[in-house]
Amino acid sequence: AVAAIRAKAPFSRSSITAEIQKGTGLRFEAGTFRTSWFPAGFTAEDVRLVDAGAGSPKPLLTAQTMVVKGSYLALLRSPRVMPAVHLTGAVVEIPSNGSDLLKRLEKSNSIAFAEIRFDDSALEIPPEGGNSELMRFAIRQLIFRHLGEGGPVGFEVAMTNPRPRGEIHSSGRFGPWKSYDPFATPVSGSFTFERVDLTVDHAVTAVLNSRGK
């Protein structure tokens, strides 16, 4: 009886797996999983999110650790709200069907997030067409606030741009997301792009610093 109650608890492995599958169409996998009752939530290690409908076993996201701090009261809201999600050592790969995935996620309104934080992570964009190199953005920290709540999403990011190599710090808001025309999505904020290496074939050396809003 105790095992059955634990399996059906809102932050058990089986419940989280089913909730993610239902809300996003992504399959949740984890090497280890520990449920926390007070405070509500869970900690998972060796995390993988796989697009079950894409026909590829390659995950969209991997993470060394995923810590979720939940709230039993927040689960009664619609959509359900997760107060805090923290991922460490995550790697996110943008798939070739990225726009289709975003449209599917936009239609799902079962889960919202007060805050999602990535530390020591990376964003990878696979080669496409004549570009044979993988684009990898090293992310020291990325924070999203009010994601999936229907309004603008706040963000803060500190990362390294691969080409030209430089350090980006930015904060602001974007959204609501317009899947039919992503470039029409409202965006506001500020940024700095520092220590930008403009060296060309080792013949011309230059370093640029810029900022803007």
Side-chain angles (χ1 to χ4, degrees):
V2 174
I5 292 174
R6 287 179 175 176
K8 294 181 180 180
F11 293 101
S12 67
R13 181 193 284 259
S14 58
S15 294
I16 291 298
T17 300
E19 188 74 26
I20 292 176
Q21 178 77 43
K22 177 183 176 182
T24 67
L26 302 178
R27 186 172 70 247
F28 173 82
E29 301 172 352
T32 62
F33 189 100
R34 298 185 300 277
T35 299
S36 171
W37 293 84
F38 299 101
F42 68 87
T43 298
E45 297 175 343
D46 299 324
V47 173
R48 291 160 50 95
L49 288 180
V50 181
D51 188 354
S56 172
K58 191 171 184 180
L60 295 174
L61 178 147
T62 62
Q64 294 173 3
T65 61
M66 179 180 188
V67 178
V68 172
K69 294 181 180 180
S71 164
Y72 295 115
L73 290 176
L75 294 178
L76 301 176
R77 295 174 55 184
S78 181
R80 298 183 177 185
V81 178
M82 293 291 184
V85 178
H86 183 199
L87 296 108
T88 304
V91 177
V92 180
E93 181 174 315
I94 302 297
S96 57
N97 67 335
S99 59
D100 294 335
L101 178 62
L102 285 173
K103 289 178 182 179
R104 192 192 332 147
L105 294 177
E106 185 184 30
K107 291 179 181 179
S108 170
N109 59 358
S110 61
I111 306 176
F113 302 90
E115 179 178 293
I116 299 181
R117 190 174 95 193
F118 294 81
D119 283 323
D120 300 323
S121 299
L123 172 66
E124 295 183 348
I125 302 177
E128 194 173 283
N131 183 10
S132 59
E133 289 188 40
L134 175 78
M135 293 279 284
R136 182 182 175 90
F137 297 81
I139 299 173
R140 287 190 299 284
Q141 187 172 85
L142 170 62
I143 300 173
F144 293 113
R145 294 187 175 92
H146 308 298
L147 186 64
E149 296 182 9
V153 176
F155 69 90
E156 297 177 24
V157 63
M159 68 181 185
T160 301
N161 189 69
R163 293 196 303 270
R165 188 173 182 83
E167 303 300 319
I168 295 176
H169 293 81
S170 181
S171 63
R173 301 195 308 169
F174 68 89
W177 180 259
K178 299 183 183 298
S179 58
Y180 60 88
D181 185 4
F183 291 104
T185 299
V187 179
S188 63
S190 60
F191 75 92
T192 62
F193 194 13
E194 300 176 325
R195 299 190 294 279
V196 185
D197 186 358
L198 300 179
T199 300
V200 179
D201 296 329
H202 303 287
V204 178
T205 301
V207 176
L208 171 71
N209 291 300
S210 65
R211 63 181 63 240
K213 292 185 178 181

